[in-house]
Amino acid sequence: LLIFDLDGTLADTQEDLADAVNATRAWAGLAPIPPEAIRLAIGDGAKALIARTVPFPGPVEEPLRHFIGYYGTRFAVRTRLYPGVTGVLEATRGRIRTVLTNKPERISRKILLELGVSEHFESVIGGDSLTTRKPDPAGAQALLAKHALPAREALLIGDSPVDVATAKAAGIACAAVLGGYAAPGAL
């Protein structure tokens, strides 16, 4: 069972996320921030991303609604697969391939479809699919159960310490992809 993270692992979603964050900052009366600052805030879901990048005097749900509205219609404008991803997916035909992400499931599925790789994945679990999200092991455990496989037959592929922590908590192996959204040296 191959469990792939989405943002920073399969796809470079940074530019579309940065556009949505800066549109939300403009809505809140704030100046834009550079994409690099936004990149380091990616990985724990939209609520955490907005809490980290859009200081707001009220509840985070207000700017979060704006962000989701904006990103929900512009999630694949500049999003691209990383070089080599298509080759990896072709080379792993015959394996069970899944996606486990903190991004909402509906948008994750749409991104995979827009990028032309949705047929490669048997299952997608998003940050809103369960009551918990990574690094909680429930998503990885649900994928193991759905595909009736023991933890020793799984590999989680991700780009952040959250992915590594998820794999450890689920008792499965992990391959860390360098060059994703983790802070330099975090992996």
Side-chain angles (χ1 to χ4, degrees), residues 98-167:
T98 64
V99 171
L100 177 60
T101 177
N102 280 339
K103 183 183 290 299
E105 181 180 338
R106 180 184 62 82
I107 291 176
S108 299
R109 288 182 181 278
K110 286 183 174 184
I111 288 172
L112 294 169
L113 186 63
E114 285 287 321
L115 296 176
V117 295
S118 62
E119 73 279 358
H120 290 279
F121 299 100
E122 288 80 0
S123 304
V124 176
I125 292 182
D128 58 351
S129 301
L130 305 170
T131 58
T132 61
R133 60 181 52 216
K134 296 186 297 181
D136 189 284
Q141 291 165 339
L143 290 168
L144 290 167
K146 179 178 182 175
H147 297 286
L149 290 170
R152 71 179 178 281
E153 293 185 28
L155 175 68
L156 190 148
I157 302 105
D159 71 308
S160 75
V162 169
D163 296 312
V164 174
T166 303

Side-chain angles (χ1 to χ4, degrees), residues 26-111:
W27 167 86
L30 301 167
I33 56 177
E36 179 61 23
I38 296 166
R39 181 181 74 79
L40 295 175
I42 296 170
D44 293 316
K47 188 173 183 178
L49 175 63
I50 294 306
R52 293 173 184 153
T53 59
V54 183
F56 191 73
V60 71
E61 285 73 20
E62 290 182 50
L64 180 61
R65 273 192 296 278
H66 186 274
F67 172 83
I68 290 171
Y70 184 96
Y71 187 67
T73 61
R74 296 170 186 90
F75 55 83
V77 175
R78 298 191 285 169
T79 291
R80 302 288 178 263
L81 289 176
Y82 281 111
V85 166
T86 302
V88 167
L89 294 175
E90 290 299 326
T92 57
R93 282 195 185 275
R95 304 267 186 217
I96 300 169
R97 295 160 303 179
T98 64
V99 171
L100 177 60
T101 177
N102 280 339
K103 183 183 290 299
E105 181 180 338
R106 180 184 62 82
I107 291 176
S108 299
R109 288 182 181 278
K110 286 183 174 184
I111 288 172

Side-chain angles (χ1 to χ4, degrees), residues 10-36:
L10 293 171
D12 184 352
T13 57
Q14 176 183 318
E15 291 184 47
D16 288 329
L17 287 168
D19 290 346
V21 165
N22 279 325
T24 304
R25 287 179 61 85
W27 167 86
L30 301 167
I33 56 177
E36 179 61 23

